[in-house]
Amino acid sequence: MEIIRFHDYDNCLRLSNGEVEIIISSGFGPRILAYNFAGGENVLGLHPDAKVETALGVFKPYGGHRFWIAPENMPNTYAPDNSRVEFEFDEKKNSLRLIQPIENVSGTQKEMTVALAGKGSGVFINHRITNLSDRKIELAPWALTIMRGGGEAFIPNEPFAPYGPETLLPIRNLTVWPYTDLSDRRWKFQNGFIRLKVDEAKTDSQKIGVLNKQGWIGYDLEDVRFIKRFEHCEKGVYPDMNSNTELYVAGNFIEIETLAPLSMLEPGQSVEHIERWELNEK
């Protein structure tokens, strides 16, 4: 691990295994700000000027990968995370554990543990929330990754099967928001995938959610394919009308998101959500 300056951000933490590298902020967030092949371009998107004014202060997405609590609400979800985070480096595991200050509004504390595989492009990310309040809280860990614009996100569909006695019941939900327009040209619905293409000229927001039993979601950018994998909990109940995978786009800002099932946490209890990333050359 080394401490570097990345763009305009001091005290960033760089991990590498010689094949890929990741860069993580410690002065805010935390955020995973970069993920790329050694010597290659960052596949994550940075939006340093973006901000959301809330009753709790100014929230800044910054860019890259962040960790929220679902279901989304205003202003609690957008509690500013502009303060320094503690970190612990494990040299044997080539991993970083990042610990956010306690959120006063929710009474929770978030941790993100990021580890690089010994070889190859694999990244392990554990998102952990602990209830440090004096009351029960229902919530779900929510992992959001802002990708660099210019590409196309995709969610695998459930396997297609023709109509017949064995296919009378539905196999997946499709959740839409009040601003979702399924006729928008950025969407493409195929047998194999739901696709969402970035178009910088179209700044209106689009979003969908699905219950993705395939356990992965991807993003194609030029000659690179980014994949994040997660575990689907068959018995879990997920936020947003039972969505564990979501896509959001507005102009050049695109997010691919995964969610854990809702959990009722007693004071002192924690819940985790794990993603596994990989980069592949197409």
Side-chain angles (χ1 to χ4, degrees), residues 38 50 60 77 87 114 155-156 183 185 219 239 247-248 253 282:
K60 298 179 181 180
T77 300
F87 66 89
V114 183
I155 301 173
S183 69
R185 66 189 183 192
Y219 186 73
L247 297 177
Y248 173 86
F253 185 104
K282 293 192 297 179

Side-chain angles (χ1 to χ4, degrees), residues 54 56 68-69 71-80 103 105-106 110 135:
T54 82
L56 302 176
W68 265 0
I69 295 173
E72 185 172 4
N73 69 81
M74 178 63 77
N76 293 5
T77 300
Y78 295 82
E103 282 190 2
V105 174
S106 65
K110 301 173 190 169
R135 66 189 188 283

Side-chain angles (χ1 to χ4, degrees), residues 93-223:
K93 296 180 179 179
N94 201 13
S95 71
L96 278 164
R97 178 180 174 222
L98 302 116
I99 307 162
Q100 193 182 62
I102 298 172
E103 282 190 2
N104 294 328
V105 174
S106 65
T108 62
Q109 186 170 44
K110 301 173 190 169
E111 300 178 25
M112 189 188 295
T113 299
V114 183
L116 276 183
K119 61 180 181 179
S121 66
V123 179
F124 168 94
I125 307 170
N126 186 13
H127 310 80
R128 179 183 175 91
I129 302 174
T130 302
N131 178 11
L132 297 179
S133 74
D134 58 0
R135 66 189 188 283
K136 293 181 182 179
I137 305 176
E138 186 177 43
L139 54 76
W142 181 11
L144 307 94
T145 308
I146 301 173
M147 308 305 300
R148 179 156 57 89
E152 184 177 62
F154 52 95
I155 301 173
N157 284 328
E158 306 307 311
F160 177 81
Y163 174 81
E166 304 301 320
T167 58
L168 299 179
L169 298 178
I171 57 172
R172 169 183 274 183
N173 67 307
L174 175 65
T175 303
V176 299
W177 273 252
Y179 51 84
T180 305
D181 178 3
L182 296 180
S183 69
D184 189 290
R185 66 189 183 192
R186 288 170 286 183
W187 295 112
K188 184 183 291 185
F189 296 90
Q190 303 171 316
N191 271 354
F193 298 96
I194 299 173
R195 298 183 180 272
L196 178 60
K197 191 174 183 63
V198 178
D199 183 344
E200 188 172 1
K202 291 184 70 63
T203 58
D204 55 305
S205 297
Q206 294 293 319
K207 185 171 184 176
I208 63 164
V210 300
L211 184 65
N212 177 4
K213 300 177 184 178
Q214 301 303 301
W216 64 277
I217 184 173
Y219 186 73
D220 283 340
L221 179 66
E222 298 169 355
D223 59 350

Side-chain angles (χ1 to χ4, degrees), residues 35-36 52 80 113 150 180 188 201 234 272:
Y35 177 44
N36 51 268
V52 180
T113 299
T180 305
K188 184 183 291 185
E234 193 68 39
E272 298 179 346

